[in-house]
Amino acid sequence: MSDSILVTVEWLQAHLNDAQVRVLDARVSDPRLPIGYRVSHIPNALAFDLNRDMYEMTPHGLRLQTADAIAASLGERGVADDSTIVVYDENTGPLAGSVYWLLKYLGHADVRVLNGGWHAWRNANAPITQDTPQYAPAVHAARIDEQQRCTAEWIQENSARADVVLLDTRTDSEYYMGHIPGAVNLSYDAAIDLTTQTLKDAAALRAQFEKLGATPAKEIVVYCRSGARSAHTFMTLHALGYPRVRNYKGSMMDWELGGLPLE
């Protein structure tokens, strides 16, 4: 197996039929509309719809399902504890980033992302299908890793540490309208090469982060409006080998709900 979090179309084509590989299609999908997974997808891919598989509706809006429920759903579809999971969305965007973060938070060891996503797969004229794969149920247990997640309380207790960097991944206009005190700003999409829809090369990415003081020696806390765009930056930093990254799930929505100060 490749050691990289990011995999290429060529790598995935070579490993599509490996017994331990499971591919998750995180594109927007709606059973009522001819879009996404039901129209066509990568062979052997399983649909992973964030609204259905990650969240549940409550009287107060969407809420993250329990870790055990998500893990059980994955296991029922044949995703095992030791599976190599490859996630893709339309390009290399926040949907793939959100699923990547979720799986790392659930404690799944081997999670990859298809660099360039569906865009790169189609551009390579790689095979597609409408068939839904059928895998035997597998054991998939949640082993929550709280080091992958951040809370408002954690920020309040730790943001003054010299080795902590708060990174706001919203647009600069959102940032200047108000942000968590002490945060620096780099929009999540600054990591994407708009021509190829892949992440930029590692040297360019490192330079962008290190210019803001977000070095691998620091603990990086990423946030946005809700935690989706920041999940993309979480994924990007992992791809660069950053050892300590936390995603603030809930982000500014949670911060403002708590009536906490802005800068």
Side-chain angles (χ1 to χ4, degrees):
M1 285 294 173
S2 164
D3 290 328
S4 176
I5 287 169
L6 297 173
V7 301
T8 63
V9 169
E10 293 74 21
W11 185 94
L12 185 53
Q13 282 188 276
H15 293 278
L16 263 184
N17 296 312
D18 289 7
Q20 74 186 88
V21 169
R22 294 292 182 268
V23 181
L24 298 184
D25 183 325
R27 292 176 298 160
V28 172
S29 108
D30 187 327
R32 301 165 299 178
L33 299 172
I35 59 172
Y37 184 86
R38 66 180 295 217
V39 176
S40 60
H41 50 265
I42 294 173
N44 292 339
L46 297 161
F48 192 93
D49 182 271
L50 292 181
N51 288 332
R52 182 184 68 246
D53 296 313
M54 184 172 175
Y55 296 105
E56 60 185 357
M57 182 58 72
T58 74
H60 304 290
L62 287 177
R63 180 178 65 190
L64 195 66
Q65 291 186 36
T66 67
D68 287 341
I70 297 170
S73 174
L74 290 167
E76 287 167 5
R77 287 182 278 171
V79 181
D81 286 334
D82 62 352
S83 292
T84 294
I85 300 177
V86 181
V87 184
Y88 73 93
D89 60 10
E90 289 292 348
N91 36 62
T92 319
L95 293 176
S98 293
V99 178
Y100 175 85
W101 171 79
L102 173 67
L103 292 168
K104 299 310 292 183
Y105 176 59
L106 293 180
H108 197 92
D110 194 357
V111 189
R112 319 290 179 91
V113 175
L114 176 60
N115 201 10
W118 183 245
H119 175 86
W121 190 265
R122 296 295 283 134
N123 276 358
N125 292 314
I128 60 173
T129 186
Q130 290 184 321
D131 297 338
T132 301
Q134 299 298 320
Y135 294 111
V139 175
H140 194 286
R143 298 174 178 83
I144 293 295
D145 183 356
E146 289 293 350
Q147 293 187 57
Q148 311 300 320
R149 180 173 175 261
C150 188
T151 62
E153 291 75 23
W154 192 97
I155 291 175
Q156 290 174 294
E157 292 170 5
N158 293 277
S159 62
R161 283 169 31 201
D163 68 331
V164 169
V165 174
L166 300 179
L167 179 56
D168 187 319
T169 68
R170 298 174 300 162
T171 63
D172 57 356
S173 59
E174 289 175 286
Y175 172 79
Y176 286 118
M177 287 174 64
H179 54 268
I180 296 175
V184 294
N185 174 236
L186 182 67
S187 179
Y188 86 93
D189 55 6
I192 300 172
D193 183 318
L194 297 180
T195 302
T196 63
Q197 297 299 309
T198 60
L199 293 189
K200 294 176 180 177
D201 69 80
L205 291 172
R206 286 194 191 96
Q208 287 178 322
F209 290 117
E210 292 185 5
K211 183 178 179 181
L212 297 172
T215 65
K218 303 284 183 70
E219 184 160 19
I220 315 299
V221 174
V222 291
Y223 75 89
C224 57
R225 180 65 187 162
S226 66
R229 287 175 287 178
S230 54
H232 183 277
T233 303
F234 175 94
M235 172 192 76
T236 301
L237 290 166
H238 271 209
L240 291 174
Y242 276 58
R244 296 187 297 158
V245 189
R246 293 175 181 264
N247 183 30
Y248 180 10
K249 189 62 186 165
S251 287
M252 287 295 290
M253 292 172 65
D254 179 73
W255 189 263
E256 292 172 353
L257 188 64
L260 297 169
L262 298 176
E263 189 172 77

